[in-house]
Amino acid sequence: MKPRTTFSLSALPDGSIVRRAMAALGLFLLVTPIFAEVSVVTDARGRYLRTLYIPETRGSERLIWSRMRTGVDPSALLNPGGDRMGDSIPVILNQPDRRQPWVLWSAGDGNDKEIAFATWSEGKWLGPRLLERVDNPYDDLDPRLAFDAKGRPVAVWWRNEPVPRVYLSVYTDGSWSRPLAISDPNRPGRFPSVRVEGERAAVTFSTPQGQTVLFQDLDAIASILDLDGSGPLDGPVPPPGTQNSPGHSGPDGPPHPGSFGNKEPKSIK
């Protein structure tokens, strides 16, 4: 029987060249920036045009918040430290008639997940801030966002309590209402979605028995104000009209061609 021949890179005449090329490739993969961001695009006068959401997946790593487009004003970028905290994919919607973008997501606070929000108004991000300031020991997950007939933001999500439950809150007069648990306390409820009909919300969510739909009076819920709500993501509560991120955005044009590689950013107009 003919003996099996083995090969190694070192046995090849150009083995050192191959090894150097492989090392260079590894270094390239380590230092090549991963673009992922949530940001706004403005015109030359700083007026809002659209919101960009540009996720990136490389191997098992998914980034959402970490990097910026080439040349983007840092103040246009939302929550750049979100990936370090394990923040979730955002929900981004424009407020009807105003074209004002609102962003909602599940944010890590170092212990568990809380619902965070931000909105772009008068040339700057207001936020990130937490929907409710009073902490709880459970993860708040999978938020969804809608607007009612009055233009009020309506948020739903589920909390991973011993019996998971679905919550709802309405933003009115500069504050979120106290989160209201709307699902059965004895039956797990998860993964809600929300559809608004006038001033009534239809909330659909999963239970072990299948899909459940509940209808909620938004005016009644909005009256349950949470005076401790709308807290900042970190630090003391700032005065009204201030934010935790940098100030006004400077002039910014549309994305530079090719700056995203082969990725197609999602744009919310």
Side-chain angles (χ1 to χ4, degrees), residues 64-66 78-88 105 107-108 113:
I64 300 164
W65 309 92
S66 294
L78 176 63
N79 191 34
D83 287 323
R84 294 194 302 271
M85 301 300 293
D87 290 7
S88 75
W105 70 97
K113 303 287 188 178

Side-chain angles (χ1 to χ4, degrees), residues 51-72:
T51 304
L52 291 178
Y53 164 47
I54 314 166
E56 169 72 0
T57 301
R58 181 168 294 176
S60 60
E61 185 177 23
R62 181 168 190 172
L63 296 183
I64 300 164
W65 309 92
S66 294
R67 302 276 180 170
M68 295 181 290
R69 291 169 288 139
T70 302
V72 69

Side-chain angles (χ1 to χ4, degrees), residues 163-202:
V163 177
R165 300 194 67 184
V166 173
Y167 285 77
L168 186 149
S169 180
V170 181
Y171 188 87
T172 183
D173 297 328
S175 180
W176 289 94
S177 64
R178 181 176 296 115
L180 178 67
I182 62 173
S183 59
D184 189 328
N186 301 309
R187 178 184 298 178
R190 300 179 176 90
F191 311 116
S193 62
V194 59
R195 184 181 75 257
V196 175
E197 301 170 350
E199 295 167 10
R200 189 174 69 157

Side-chain angles (χ1 to χ4, degrees), residues 23-39:
L25 176 60
L27 180 61
F28 172 79
L29 293 176
L30 286 175
V31 302
T32 300
I34 301 176
F35 289 95
E37 69 175 69
V38 178
S39 63

Side-chain angles (χ1 to χ4, degrees), residues 26 33 103 109 122 143 167 173 180 187 217 226 231 235 238 263-264:
V103 187
D109 65 1
E122 299 181 353
Y167 285 77
D173 297 328
L180 178 67
R187 178 184 298 178
D217 183 336
D226 189 351
K263 298 182 289 299
E264 291 294 331

Side-chain angles (χ1 to χ4, degrees), residues 123-145:
K124 59 184 178 182
W125 282 113
L126 301 179
R129 303 180 76 182
L130 295 183
L131 187 147
E132 59 177 329
R133 184 173 182 179
V134 177
D135 197 9
N136 67 82
Y138 307 108
D139 287 336
D140 290 312
L141 303 168
D142 299 312
R144 295 294 181 266
L145 179 65

